[in-house]
Amino acid sequence: MLSYFVNYGMNFHEGLGALQWRIPFALQMIPGAFLLVGIMFLNESPRWLVEKNRIEDARSALATVRGNFEDEPSVIKELDEIVEDFQGHSKLSFRQQMRAACESKQMFYRCSMGFVLMFWQQWTGTNSINYYSPQIFAAIGVNGTSAGLFATGIYGVVKVCFTALGLLFATEQLGRKWSLIIGAAGQAFAMFYIGIQNAVSPAVPGASLTGSSTFAIICVYLFVVFYSFGWSAITHHYRRGPIPFVLSSECAPNHVRSLVMAAALMCQWLFNFVIAKLTPIMLANITYGTFLLFGACCVLMGLYAVFCVPETKNVPLESIHILFKNGIIKGCTKDTFPSHARANYLQKHSHVTDEQVHKHVLSIKTRHMKGPERDRLPRGEEHPVKKFVRHTEEV
């Protein structure tokens, strides 16, 4: 946010020569230095420590994250689940992780989700506005470099404030899925309006703003409001970060999470570069079509969130694999309706193994068997996973 106003202020000091761009560039090192110092006090990931067989350190780190004592039953139970999940998967090489990520359709889907989410995040057009907002405001009708830079500064303020509001009040209540859907819908509306307004009534240099062009400027701010609540908002009370980052890390299996997050970050920066290179070309050649293209991408990513993204709010990491079983698209579509979301049930139960899921899914499939063949099936109290499968089928 401050960087926008630093640029705005330096615009009035043209006599500085090369210092006019060197000073804003150098000031970026200050928050970087604070970040470097803060990393020294950052709590290590309990799952990474388990992967490195540092169990006692993992216990201490997990207790710190949960705000409990190390001998708290909930901490001991969760640590046991993490250790169990890592059995046979610790310290995999890069080639082994690649092989594990592609060993089945379900695994490939889980591991590729982060890549796809980062792709859509960049094609919202958010970095086009971040990098080229003065030119975009000029295309809408804001005259003068100083006015464009000041409007960009206001854009930064709106972005920071509404991201904070989303962090505190909205996203955890809405869940990951609906945050993405509402964000995509709002961003699509804003981009389509800007594009259509620019096509119907293109800006004339030196002309005063009309009512439609004023609302187009408002739509730039509306765009970042919905972006802050959706594709760049805080989600979990202890796993904090933009939704695509959180979903990428939550849905990736523990033993390949480092590979998945590396691929997701690679995708983000790759398409960040692509958008940065293409935006000025698109603004010069297809003008209003730039905004229509981003609006169409927002519609597509909204549909992707509806049909292909599961709701993971409050689901234990060691149970998330259940969300990707028995019809991913069907299950993700059900998750769109909060009362039918599978997360409502899964968050009440602790870690369940694949073997247990497989056993009870098979028992469901044999429910119509008759005679001695059915009598041989195990009897007893209904298992939580069996109850979960029955519950989702009833829904």
Side-chain angles (χ1 to χ4, degrees):
M1 180 177 69
L2 294 176
S3 64
Y4 291 117
F5 287 102
V6 169
N7 292 336
Y8 173 70
M10 293 304 296
N11 182 59
F12 296 100
H13 300 279
E14 297 181 2
L16 293 176
L19 288 176
Q20 191 177 22
W21 67 267
R22 290 183 185 275
I23 291 176
F25 193 83
L27 287 175
Q28 297 180 70
M29 293 188 291
I30 296 176
F34 282 115
L35 177 62
L36 180 62
V37 173
I39 287 175
M40 305 299 179
F41 303 96
L42 189 65
N43 192 58
E44 195 59 80
S45 166
R47 288 168 178 81
W48 181 85
L49 292 169
V50 169
E51 185 180 14
K52 301 303 178 183
N53 203 29
R54 294 165 55 183
I55 306 301
E56 291 306 315
D57 291 338
R59 189 190 314 278
S60 176
L62 187 61
T64 301
V65 170
R66 295 291 179 265
N68 289 322
F69 296 105
E70 293 184 18
D71 57 354
E72 189 78 21
S74 60
V75 173
I76 296 173
K77 181 180 180 182
E78 185 172 359
L79 181 63
D80 289 341
E81 293 170 358
I82 295 172
V83 172
E84 182 182 351
D85 192 59
F86 268 106
Q87 291 297 325
H89 296 300
S90 59
K91 298 181 181 179
L92 296 182
S93 65
F94 175 76
R95 180 176 294 183
Q96 289 172 323
Q97 289 189 56
M98 286 289 291
R99 196 172 296 163
C102 302
E103 67 183 8
S104 66
K105 291 182 180 179
Q106 176 194 333
M107 277 291 292
F108 182 77
Y109 188 95
R110 292 179 66 184
C111 295
S112 63
M113 178 179 288
F115 190 95
V116 177
L117 286 169
M118 294 301 180
F119 171 85
W120 287 124
Q121 184 196 51
Q122 291 304 306
W123 280 97
T124 59
T126 181
N127 280 324
S128 293
I129 299 178
N130 287 340
Y131 298 151
Y132 301 103
S133 46
Q135 293 92 320
I136 289 173
F137 280 117
I140 296 174
V142 177
N143 297 306
T145 304
S146 297
L149 288 171
F150 183 77
T152 302
I154 299 300
Y155 173 87
V157 173
V158 172
K159 185 175 183 179
V160 170
C161 291
F162 278 92
T163 298
L165 290 174
L167 183 161
L168 294 172
F169 303 113
T171 313
E172 183 61 26
Q173 287 74 16
L174 290 174
R176 289 104 166 97
K177 192 178 183 77
W178 269 103
S179 294
L180 293 177
I181 294 170
I182 293 173
Q187 289 172 264
F189 169 79
M191 282 295 185
F192 279 133
Y193 182 87
I194 294 170
I196 293 171
Q197 190 276 334
N198 210 357
V200 174
S201 180
V204 178
S208 58
L209 292 173
T210 63
S212 61
S213 59
T214 301
F215 188 70
I217 295 172
I218 294 174
C219 279
V220 175
Y221 300 127
L222 284 178
F223 174 89
V224 76
V225 167
F226 283 102
Y227 177 78
S228 298
F229 275 92
W231 289 77
S232 178
I234 301 303
T235 55
H236 203 284
H237 64 282
Y238 67 90
R239 294 190 292 273
R240 292 187 167 94
I243 286 182
F245 281 96
V246 173
L247 279 173
S248 300
S249 62
E250 285 182 335
C251 294
N254 283 330
H255 57 287
V256 295
R257 183 167 291 125
S258 59
L259 173 68
V260 171
M261 293 307 297
L265 285 170
M266 179 194 70
C267 177
Q268 187 204 36
W269 286 107
L270 171 63
F271 285 98
N272 189 317
F273 169 77
V274 170
I275 294 296
K277 294 294 289 184
L278 288 181
T279 298
I281 299 173
M282 291 191 296
L283 288 173
N285 291 280
I286 62 174
T287 59
Y288 64 85
T290 305
F291 306 105
L292 298 180
L293 173 63
F294 288 137
C297 288
C298 290
V299 171
L300 292 175
M301 73 188 192
L303 294 175
Y304 175 79
V306 170
F307 296 110
C308 302
V309 176
E311 179 55 74
T312 62
K313 184 181 73 170
N314 293 331
V315 178
L317 286 180
E318 284 68 38
S319 298
I320 281 180
H321 64 281
I322 300 175
L323 297 174
F324 294 88
K325 291 184 177 294
N326 305 323
I328 295 174
I329 293 179
K330 181 180 178 181
C332 292
T333 305
K334 287 182 178 179
D335 286 346
T336 305
F337 305 96
S339 60
H340 296 166
R342 297 166 294 171
N344 295 335
Y345 182 83
L346 281 179
Q347 65 181 306
K348 301 175 184 177
H349 296 276
S350 60
H351 171 58
V352 181
T353 64
D354 285 336
E355 182 181 354
Q356 291 171 315
V357 174
H358 178 68
K359 180 192 300 183
H360 290 285
V361 168
L362 285 179
S363 69
I364 292 295
K365 292 180 179 179
T366 57
R367 69 175 67 177
H368 299 297
M369 296 171 61
K370 297 180 179 179
E373 190 175 9
R374 183 171 182 175
D375 292 337
R376 289 196 295 271
L377 294 176
R379 300 181 183 276
E381 185 179 353
E382 186 177 35
H383 192 278
V385 178
K386 185 174 181 180
K387 186 177 180 182
F388 166 69
V389 175
R390 176 175 57 78
H391 170 75
T392 53
E393 288 185 348
E394 289 173 356
V395 169

